[in-house]
Amino acid sequence: MTSPADIPANNHKRYFFEKFGITERLLERCLGEALSAGGDYADLYFESVTAVSLGVDEQIVKSASTGTSAGCGIRVISGERTGYAYTDNLNADRLLHAAKTAALIASGPAKAPVQGFTEAQTPDLYPVPLGGFDLDLAARLELILRADRAARAFDPRIVQVRASYSEELRRVLIAGSDGSFASDTQPLCRLNAFVIAKDGDNTTKGQAGAGGRAGLAQFVGSKSPENLAQEAARGAILQLGAVPAPAGEMEVVLGPGWPGILLHEAVGHGLEADFNRKGTSAFSGLIGRPVASPKVTVVDNGTIEGRRGSLNVDDEGSPTQETVLIENGILKGYLTDKLSARLMGTANTGSGRRESYHCVPMPRMTNTYMLAGEDDPEDIIRSVKRGLYAPNFGGGQVDITNGKFVFSASEAYLIEDGKITAPVRDATLIGNGPEALKHVSMVGYDLKLDEGIGTCGKDGQSVPVGVGMPTIKLDRMTVGGTGR
């Protein structure tokens, strides 16, 4: 067998053929077996992942792991039924057995098996590390130790620091019974810093992170561990002097970048086609109708170079694309995969994603953001008599069926007479996604994407995503807090 290091990382197809002995004839046999009990469509998703993660807590290495995994998921679609089986053994017998299992789950009207494949022409959105994946743990450990030292040096009130780094190289090969064929090699890395600050009885926390589709060399060249650590420490120290957040309905200004997570959760999930096909989304049946202010245009774009949510091909082998979801306030469409596109009679937007070969694909977001407007961000702040400015967010909860959300602001400030004043703590934003967007009255020209830390959960599956927005003003939103 050929070792992974001997196979060029950008030769995706050759990797699986040489490492695991996969052949086009075997792909045809597996797809034929998958359709042997009938079905409209079948596909094979081969995946091989090499990963490393390191964690430092109080300057002590508390966790370190490296590992590899490989397997294949086989799906058969018959009408609205899906049969799915997977195996972590890529020899021919196990693959054919998994194909037969998926076939029996989704049995239906027969379809002729595929003969021959047409390979998709895909872009090159991210550099693949030369030589594949090299497990130099010392270089990765030094990254997080640099972050640890920088956070501690920021202020003597920083009393605890945790830092972590994770990296993976994922190779995929997808073959479908419609003759489609695609392969890709997908790097991904992320560095996080978490700190705790203390002043008397007052204890606060701060965190920051960055990442993207890159290997260690590219990441170090574009992101500074020191800057991330200082940002985490700044947030914690800031909160030590924060006053209680006001409560009630008021004007709210969201800062650029990571606050786009509110858009992702409160609106983006509701625009995924499976929810709309089943009629369970607050946006079901609203295409062509106004769902936001005319100043709001929202896109999902999986083609931005190096971004965490970007992919050359989705997990069904379809090229990703830029999809306009809301244009000037009008709902234009949904995010679709092959199944939902076929059942809804719409185009496939290349949004089929899955966490691993264990999972069926479903419509998911990639990089979702609001386009820039024409307003000066300083004018937006100056227009607010009394309100809240929220440049950073923590966690939140959303009900897809009605669009209601609750989000916590990890960093927020009072706006008084057009000026940003005191930092506040424990601020939450409460609202309804479709309704909230109707109250957007100003949109800044300062569109910013997040630092590359987004992870999206849906039906038990997690995938990397990106978010973003410019500075925006909402004329009305409910703020939860304990102050006045």
Side-chain angles (χ1 to χ4, degrees):
M1 285 287 183
T2 305
S3 70
D6 296 330
I7 301 169
N10 60 353
N11 197 331
H12 325 303
K13 174 180 173 181
R14 185 180 163 197
Y15 175 82
F16 282 95
F17 282 27
E18 296 193 10
K19 168 80 174 157
F20 299 104
I22 305 300
T23 64
E24 287 198 18
R25 175 56 185 150
L26 178 57
L27 299 179
E28 292 172 353
R29 288 177 62 199
C30 289
L31 289 169
E33 191 67 50
L35 294 173
S36 63
D40 304 315
Y41 172 80
D43 58 19
L44 314 172
Y45 176 81
F46 291 88
E47 177 186 68
S48 175
V49 180
T50 304
V52 58
S53 65
L54 291 166
V56 167
D57 189 347
E58 290 302 279
Q59 299 177 301
I60 299 172
V61 178
K62 290 293 183 73
S63 63
S65 65
T66 64
T68 60
S69 64
C72 179
I74 302 178
R75 176 178 61 161
V76 181
I77 296 174
S78 179
E80 295 194 27
R81 294 192 306 277
T82 297
Y84 196 78
Y86 63 86
T87 175
D88 60 2
N89 187 327
L90 298 183
N91 68 44
D93 290 342
R94 292 292 294 274
L95 288 170
L96 290 166
H97 177 74
K100 183 66 173 179
T101 302
L104 293 175
I105 296 172
S107 56
K111 184 173 181 179
V114 65
Q115 291 186 335
F117 299 94
T118 301
E119 187 163 2
Q121 297 300 309
T122 59
D124 185 13
L125 299 174
Y126 25 81
V128 176
L130 293 176
F133 192 88
D134 116 46
L135 297 178
D136 182 357
L137 294 183
R140 291 159 174 79
L141 178 59
E142 179 57 24
L143 273 183
I144 52 181
L145 289 175
R146 284 168 56 188
D148 179 281
R149 291 190 293 266
R152 293 179 186 282
F154 186 82
D155 191 287
R157 290 170 291 178
I158 300 296
V159 297
Q160 185 174 349
V161 180
R162 295 201 301 267
S164 62
Y165 180 81
S166 60
E167 185 178 349
E168 70 175 31
L169 191 68
R170 181 184 306 266
R171 297 176 172 93
V172 299
L173 184 153
I174 307 108
S177 62
D178 56 1
S180 59
F181 181 97
S183 57
D184 196 18
T185 302
Q186 302 162 353
L188 187 69
C189 66
R190 176 172 169 172
L191 175 66
N192 288 325
F194 173 86
V195 307
I196 294 178
K198 189 171 184 180
D199 188 2
D201 294 331
N202 192 6
T203 301
T204 59
K205 61 184 180 181
Q207 57 185 339
R213 294 219 173 265
L216 178 67
Q218 295 91 351
F219 180 81
V220 174
S222 61
K223 308 289 181 182
S224 163
E226 287 79 9
N227 288 344
L228 293 179
Q230 290 162 3
E231 177 62 19
R234 183 196 65 81
I237 296 300
L238 180 78
Q239 289 298 306
L240 288 174
V243 301
E249 191 173 87
M250 64 188 70
E251 294 176 310
V252 171
V253 177
L254 303 181
W258 181 244
I261 190 64
L262 188 149
L263 186 74
H264 168 103
E265 295 287 0
V267 177
H269 277 299
L271 298 178
E272 291 166 341
D274 48 352
F275 295 127
N276 290 279
R277 177 170 62 85
K278 299 169 185 175
T280 58
S281 167
F283 293 95
S284 297
L286 297 182
I287 289 181
R289 296 172 59 180
V291 295
S293 158
K295 291 180 174 286
V296 172
T297 295
V298 178
V299 302
D300 185 86
N301 188 352
T303 70
I304 308 173
E305 290 189 11
R307 297 301 306 180
R308 182 172 169 85
S310 295
L311 293 166
N312 290 322
V313 294
D314 72 359
D315 294 327
E316 296 180 308
S318 304
T320 56
Q321 64 180 50
E322 180 179 358
T323 303
V324 178
L325 300 172
I326 299 172
E327 185 174 28
N328 299 327
I330 305 298
L331 181 61
K332 305 300 286 189
Y334 306 123
L335 295 172
T336 59
D337 59 356
K338 286 185 175 181
L339 175 61
S340 58
R342 180 171 61 85
L343 294 176
M344 298 177 74
T346 61
N348 176 16
T349 62
S351 305
R353 304 192 64 189
R354 64 182 106 198
E355 180 176 328
S356 73
Y357 71 88
H358 298 93
C359 309
V360 294
M362 63 183 78
R364 304 292 296 271
M365 287 172 276
T366 56
N367 304 297
T368 310
Y369 52 94
M370 184 186 299
L371 296 190
E374 299 179 351
D375 295 305
D376 186 323
E378 294 184 2
D379 289 341
I380 295 177
I381 298 296
R382 281 194 286 265
S383 73
V384 178
K385 176 70 174 175
R386 178 181 180 274
L388 189 79
Y389 175 59
N392 212 345
F393 278 86
Q397 294 181 329
V398 180
D399 186 335
I400 299 299
T401 61
N402 55 30
K404 292 182 179 179
F405 62 81
V406 178
F407 271 86
S408 62
S410 58
E411 181 180 352
Y413 303 82
L414 293 175
I415 304 177
E416 299 172 291
D417 295 324
K419 296 180 180 179
I420 295 174
T421 58
V424 301
R425 62 176 182 268
D426 303 326
T428 58
L429 300 184
I430 304 165
N432 175 286
E435 284 302 313
L437 289 184
K438 293 178 181 178
H439 296 299
V440 174
S441 61
M442 300 180 77
V443 178
Y445 51 62
D446 57 339
L447 169 63
K448 180 183 176 183
L449 300 181
D450 74 287
E451 293 294 333
I453 60 174
T455 299
C456 173
K458 176 180 176 181
D459 290 350
Q461 295 190 42
S462 296
V463 297
V465 297
V467 300
M469 65 165 37
T471 299
I472 67 169
K473 176 185 174 182
L474 298 104
D475 286 339
R476 192 169 71 201
M477 179 172 278
T478 300
V479 176
T482 58
R484 295 183 176 181

